[in-house]
Amino acid sequence: MRNLARVILIALFTVACVVLAQSQQKIDLIIGGGTIVTMDASRAIIKDGGIAVLGDSIVAVGPLKDIEQHYTSAQMIDARGRLVLPGFINGHTHVPMTLFRGLHDDVTLNDWLYKYIFPAEAKNVNEEFVRWGTRLAAAEQIRSGVTTFADMYYFEDAVAEESKAAGMRAVLGETFIDFPAPDNKSEAEMLSYTEKFLKRWQGDPLIEAAPAPHSIYTCSKKTLQDAAALARRYHAPILIHVAEMKKEWDDSEKEHAMSPVAYLNSIGVLGPDVIAAHCIFVDAADQKLLAEKDVGCVHNPSSNMMLASGVSPVADLRSAGVAVGLGTDGPAGSNNDLDLMEEIDLAAKLAKITKMNPLALNAKAVVEMATIDGARAIHMEKEIGSLEAGKKADLVLISLDEPNAVPMYDAYAQIAYSLKASDVETVIIGGRVVMRDHKLLTIDEPAVLEKARDYGESVEKSLGMK
Ligand SMILES: [Zn+2]
């Protein structure tokens, strides 16, 4: 009798296993066991959570036991003892400028641009320079947990190729500016280059090509309008610096009798496809206009402090309903690195000291700016910015094993004020692991570092510094 009962039990167990296996969906990757900071609409935080990934997207997020019940995968990443977050979004930068890092600091933005950086660019920037600068930037950004960035520079087609090779997601703006640029010498050339660039990358899973009129102080009304019209023909976003210095505001008031934001609106540039970097000099009327037009703003605290440009009224913009993301700005003259985790920390502290109020901008708000609000600011909130079914599998695992990481009472406070870029351990973009246990998998890091040192020497020589 006892033997019969045993046989029946084994048979039942086998049937249960077969039924379970048949009801389980085969997927490509499970990230399991960590504390998942989802940044979804309810801002759910799931302890001992699991994320199921199929192809480049997330199919489910929930308690690990539920995920394991419904999904099976040959590949599993153990996230126990770690925070799992949506990848950070660097909403404004100029990545090839990594190779000018630290070239000339401690000067005004106007002097830095016209006396130093524009001449240095004229002498050194070519397609090869842009490729190596982008590779260096990709290594640095992945190491700080950045999975998506928005860029404005020259030879942006080469930036696109290198970003894609590194496995990064990017919105890449080819610069329009009213003087001969390192790649295109006239507005006609800029238009034709950018149209080709837009056509080439349409429908790419990682790269979004865009025109980037530099600013109202370097572009005529015609250049601004032509760049915007081109963007709209191809349903591409428009990247632009907006209200980033006092002189820009004063000149706009003098020339157009209105603020930079009002001027851009008056010529038809503002719209739900615009990604506006800085937005420092924006009064209540401008803030209302930015919200009404669904413009995304990107706050760059390091850059604004380093250049003493001013302080963007981030809390006011958020209250007015504007999507505000975070950016590093270029890694030369205005930061000088691409560490977005540092910007998270500084955004909160800069807002607090400016308002002399420690409640001005809290940890949760600045983590939102680096993730879901950053996605809204670059108009990609349907694809990225949170960990939930249907979104791209862009995520980071952050170690909690360093002295600066323990104990942990509040995940948002830990991310904003305690954790460092060096705590980022594993990075996944579109389901592809691009860094595992601190090792970059898509970039030959030693070769990139060596080449960057060589460029340092040749840039110094070109400027007669050696
Ligand atoms: Zn910039």
Side-chain angles (χ1 to χ4, degrees), residues 299-301 311-319 322 324-326 343-370 373 412-413 416-417:
H299 176 45
N300 302 266
V311 182
S312 172
V314 171
D316 299 341
L317 283 162
R318 282 170 59 93
S319 311
V322 180
V324 186
L326 281 178
E343 305 304 320
I344 297 175
D345 180 289
L346 288 176
K349 290 172 184 168
L350 178 58
K352 290 172 196 293
I353 188 64
T354 306
K355 298 250 179 188
M356 292 292 281
N357 177 4
L359 311 183
L361 200 61
N362 64 27
K364 191 175 174 191
V366 286
V367 174
E368 287 171 347
M369 290 167 69
D373 285 352
Y412 298 117
Y417 306 131

XYZ file of all heavy atoms in Angstrom, residues 299-301 311-319 322 324-326 343-370 373 412-413 416-417:
363
model
N 17.859 70.086 -17.162
C 18.612 70.840 -16.162
C 20.024 70.250 -16.049
O 20.173 69.035 -15.951
C 17.860 70.704 -14.829
C 18.544 71.333 -13.659
N 19.115 72.582 -13.702
C 18.721 70.880 -12.374
C 19.617 72.871 -12.505
N 19.391 71.866 -11.689
N 21.025 71.146 -16.067
C 22.428 70.711 -16.024
C 23.133 71.373 -14.840
O 23.855 72.365 -14.999
C 23.142 71.108 -17.320
C 22.486 70.519 -18.548
O 22.870 69.469 -19.027
N 21.460 71.188 -19.059
N 22.936 70.862 -13.635
C 23.430 71.590 -12.455
C 24.943 71.805 -12.427
O 25.388 72.933 -12.141
C 22.958 70.740 -11.271
C 22.468 69.450 -11.816
C 22.134 69.676 -13.258
N 20.678 79.680 -12.043
C 20.036 78.461 -11.546
C 18.670 78.309 -12.196
O 17.840 79.214 -12.121
C 19.880 78.501 -10.011
C 19.254 77.209 -9.511
C 21.227 78.738 -9.334
N 18.445 77.191 -12.830
C 17.135 76.939 -13.437
C 16.095 76.751 -12.331
O 16.346 76.029 -11.366
C 17.218 75.674 -14.290
O 15.932 75.320 -14.740
N 14.930 77.393 -12.471
C 13.895 77.250 -11.431
C 13.180 75.906 -11.550
O 12.003 75.822 -11.906
C 12.955 78.423 -11.725
C 13.096 78.653 -13.193
C 14.504 78.282 -13.556
N 13.911 74.837 -11.246
C 13.434 73.479 -11.505
C 12.108 73.170 -10.800
O 11.176 72.634 -11.406
C 14.522 72.453 -11.101
C 13.985 71.034 -11.149
C 15.724 72.588 -12.023
N 12.044 73.517 -9.510
C 10.817 73.197 -8.759
C 9.625 73.942 -9.365
O 8.525 73.384 -9.479
C 10.993 73.558 -7.297
N 9.830 75.199 -9.771
C 8.738 75.983 -10.372
C 8.323 75.381 -11.723
O 7.133 75.293 -12.032
C 9.163 77.450 -10.590
C 9.515 78.127 -9.284
O 9.096 77.618 -8.224
O 10.225 79.152 -9.316
N 9.307 74.976 -12.515
C 9.000 74.360 -13.816
C 8.184 73.080 -13.614
O 7.183 72.841 -14.298
C 10.296 74.022 -14.576
C 11.021 75.187 -15.246
C 12.468 74.819 -15.579
C 10.302 75.623 -16.527
N 8.600 72.275 -12.639
C 7.862 71.031 -12.353
C 6.435 71.344 -11.905
O 5.486 70.685 -12.339
C 8.598 70.219 -11.272
C 9.804 69.460 -11.792
C 10.644 68.883 -10.653
N 9.919 67.968 -9.789
C 9.869 66.634 -9.937
N 10.514 66.064 -10.936
N 9.206 65.886 -9.090
N 6.295 72.356 -11.059
C 4.938 72.713 -10.602
C 4.089 73.230 -11.755
O 2.874 73.047 -11.779
C 4.969 73.804 -9.528
O 5.862 73.484 -8.544
N 5.968 71.263 -16.448
C 6.992 71.011 -17.472
C 7.768 69.740 -17.101
O 8.115 69.541 -15.939
C 7.977 72.205 -17.565
C 9.036 71.942 -18.635
C 7.234 73.501 -17.854
N 10.980 67.948 -16.666
C 12.374 68.387 -16.511
C 13.267 67.170 -16.288
O 13.055 66.401 -15.346
C 12.549 69.367 -15.329
C 13.982 69.911 -15.299
C 11.542 70.510 -15.402
N 14.243 66.999 -17.172
C 15.217 65.920 -17.031
C 16.536 66.463 -16.515
O 16.632 67.632 -16.111
N 17.558 65.612 -16.535
C 18.879 66.001 -16.056
C 19.921 65.748 -17.130
O 19.812 64.780 -17.888
C 19.275 65.149 -14.847
C 18.697 65.514 -13.499
C 19.191 64.514 -12.462
C 19.100 66.924 -13.095
N 24.954 64.462 -10.995
C 23.941 65.484 -11.312
C 22.676 65.284 -10.467
O 22.002 66.250 -10.096
C 23.580 65.457 -12.800
C 24.760 65.594 -13.762
C 25.595 66.844 -13.537
O 25.028 67.916 -13.275
O 26.838 66.728 -13.610
N 22.345 64.017 -10.183
C 21.171 63.724 -9.352
C 21.357 64.379 -7.989
O 20.493 65.101 -7.477
C 20.982 62.186 -9.195
C 20.716 61.524 -10.549
C 19.854 61.868 -8.220
C 20.644 59.985 -10.500
N 22.517 64.142 -7.411
C 22.857 64.689 -6.097
C 22.862 66.230 -6.127
O 22.233 66.893 -5.289
C 24.242 64.135 -5.730
C 24.763 64.611 -4.390
O 25.107 65.794 -4.276
O 24.845 63.795 -3.466
N 23.545 66.786 -7.138
C 23.698 68.246 -7.200
C 22.378 68.954 -7.494
O 22.151 70.064 -7.009
C 24.733 68.620 -8.270
C 26.183 68.296 -7.905
C 27.095 68.613 -9.089
C 26.622 69.098 -6.684
N 21.511 68.343 -8.289
C 20.231 68.992 -8.623
C 19.449 69.271 -7.345
O 18.893 70.366 -7.158
C 19.420 68.111 -9.569
N 19.418 68.299 -6.445
C 18.686 68.488 -5.195
C 19.347 69.567 -4.347
O 18.684 70.490 -3.844
C 18.629 67.171 -4.427
N 20.659 69.475 -4.198
C 21.362 70.403 -3.294
C 21.377 71.829 -3.840
O 21.264 72.797 -3.084
C 22.770 69.888 -3.022
C 22.736 68.633 -2.152
C 24.086 67.972 -2.019
C 23.951 66.677 -1.213
N 25.163 65.857 -1.286
N 21.509 71.973 -5.171
C 21.494 73.325 -5.763
C 20.128 73.983 -5.550
O 20.045 75.168 -5.196
C 21.821 73.229 -7.263
C 21.801 74.540 -8.044
C 22.785 75.557 -7.461
C 22.130 74.298 -9.522
N 19.058 73.223 -5.728
C 17.716 73.783 -5.516
C 17.516 74.185 -4.055
O 16.941 75.234 -3.748
C 16.656 72.765 -5.934
N 18.028 73.365 -3.146
C 17.860 73.637 -1.713
C 18.590 74.928 -1.312
O 18.018 75.788 -0.653
C 18.424 72.470 -0.887
C 17.616 71.178 -0.967
C 18.379 70.048 -0.262
C 17.868 68.671 -0.609
N 16.535 68.353 -0.149
N 19.853 75.072 -1.734
C 20.629 76.251 -1.299
C 20.097 77.514 -1.977
O 20.093 78.591 -1.388
C 22.151 76.059 -1.545
C 22.977 77.178 -0.924
C 22.498 75.943 -3.009
C 22.912 77.248 0.578
N 19.627 77.385 -3.209
C 19.106 78.558 -3.922
C 17.870 79.107 -3.222
O 17.705 80.316 -3.089
C 18.757 78.185 -5.381
O 19.898 77.593 -5.970
C 18.361 79.411 -6.172
N 17.002 78.205 -2.785
C 15.761 78.636 -2.119
C 15.956 78.750 -0.614
O 15.012 79.113 0.103
C 14.640 77.626 -2.396
C 14.287 77.490 -3.861
C 12.927 78.066 -4.173
C 12.646 77.918 -5.656
N 11.458 78.590 -6.089
N 17.143 78.415 -0.134
C 17.411 78.363 1.315
C 16.319 77.546 1.997
O 15.767 77.939 3.017
C 17.492 79.783 1.901
C 18.695 80.570 1.424
S 20.262 79.943 2.041
C 20.250 80.632 3.698
N 16.004 76.424 1.369
C 14.926 75.580 1.873
C 15.235 74.107 1.563
O 15.237 73.714 0.402
C 13.607 76.001 1.199
C 12.451 75.114 1.613
O 12.588 74.222 2.455
N 11.291 75.347 1.011
N 15.496 73.305 2.603
C 15.854 71.906 2.359
C 14.722 71.068 1.761
O 14.936 69.933 1.343
C 16.243 71.386 3.750
C 15.608 72.315 4.713
C 15.502 73.649 4.033
N 13.503 71.654 1.703
C 12.382 70.913 1.111
C 12.199 71.241 -0.381
O 11.299 70.720 -1.037
C 11.071 71.247 1.842
C 11.072 71.190 3.373
C 9.682 71.487 3.923
C 11.532 69.828 3.872
N 13.042 72.140 -0.920
C 12.823 72.656 -2.280
C 12.720 71.556 -3.336
O 11.869 71.610 -4.223
C 13.926 73.637 -2.642
N 13.590 70.550 -3.277
C 13.584 69.456 -4.268
C 14.117 68.230 -3.521
O 15.225 68.262 -3.004
C 14.511 69.830 -5.438
C 14.320 69.110 -6.779
C 12.936 69.350 -7.371
C 15.388 69.574 -7.779
N 13.292 67.165 -3.451
C 13.712 66.033 -2.618
C 14.338 64.902 -3.443
O 14.400 64.954 -4.679
C 12.546 65.534 -1.749
C 11.397 64.988 -2.585
O 11.589 64.514 -3.701
N 10.190 65.052 -2.039
N 14.797 63.875 -2.736
C 15.533 62.773 -3.370
C 14.685 62.073 -4.433
O 15.168 61.768 -5.525
C 15.984 61.774 -2.306
N 13.416 61.841 -4.101
C 12.550 61.142 -5.054
C 12.406 61.968 -6.341
O 12.464 61.429 -7.455
C 11.184 60.925 -4.406
C 10.279 59.990 -5.158
C 9.015 59.782 -4.346
C 7.979 58.983 -5.064
N 6.699 59.016 -4.358
N 12.260 63.279 -6.186
C 12.093 64.158 -7.360
C 13.311 64.092 -8.275
O 13.177 64.014 -9.501
C 11.844 65.594 -6.908
N 14.501 64.111 -7.687
C 15.688 64.120 -8.551
C 15.936 62.748 -9.193
O 16.464 62.669 -10.306
C 16.960 64.660 -7.834
C 16.860 66.159 -7.681
C 17.222 63.988 -6.492
N 15.519 61.671 -8.505
C 15.615 60.346 -9.148
C 14.602 60.275 -10.299
O 14.890 59.724 -11.360
C 15.416 59.203 -8.117
C 15.375 57.849 -8.821
C 16.533 59.221 -7.073
N 13.440 60.889 -10.112
C 12.464 60.973 -11.211
C 13.068 61.713 -12.406
O 12.913 61.298 -13.562
C 11.193 61.702 -10.749
C 10.320 60.874 -9.823
C 9.172 61.659 -9.176
O 9.169 62.907 -9.246
O 8.308 61.007 -8.574
N 13.779 62.808 -12.118
C 14.375 63.597 -13.204
C 15.411 62.798 -13.996
O 15.596 63.008 -15.189
C 14.997 64.879 -12.641
C 13.955 65.876 -12.142
S 14.655 67.201 -11.143
C 15.590 68.100 -12.376
N 16.081 61.865 -13.316
C 17.106 61.053 -13.999
C 16.508 59.873 -14.751
O 17.188 59.232 -15.544
C 18.117 60.550 -12.984
N 11.028 61.222 -15.604
C 10.864 62.591 -16.095
C 11.902 62.934 -17.159
O 11.635 63.735 -18.063
C 10.920 63.596 -14.934
C 9.628 63.579 -14.119
O 8.668 62.904 -14.544
O 9.570 64.240 -13.068
N 15.387 56.025 -2.485
C 15.594 57.281 -3.242
C 16.726 58.108 -2.634
O 17.566 58.660 -3.349
C 14.308 58.104 -3.289
C 13.172 57.405 -3.985
C 12.003 57.081 -3.296
C 13.257 57.056 -5.325
C 10.954 56.434 -3.929
C 12.219 56.405 -5.974
C 11.060 56.094 -5.272
O 10.027 55.447 -5.897
N 16.733 58.200 -1.291
C 17.787 58.966 -0.616
C 19.145 58.327 -0.867
O 20.141 59.027 -1.080
C 17.501 59.040 0.882
N 20.191 59.191 -4.446
C 20.492 60.611 -4.650
C 21.743 61.058 -3.894
O 22.542 61.815 -4.427
C 19.296 61.466 -4.227
N 21.895 60.583 -2.662
C 22.919 61.215 -1.824
C 24.084 60.312 -1.407
O 25.093 60.817 -0.938
C 22.273 61.781 -0.552
C 21.110 62.707 -0.800
C 19.898 62.548 -0.121
C 21.212 63.756 -1.716
C 18.826 63.399 -0.347
C 20.144 64.608 -1.952
C 18.945 64.421 -1.262
O 17.894 65.254 -1.490
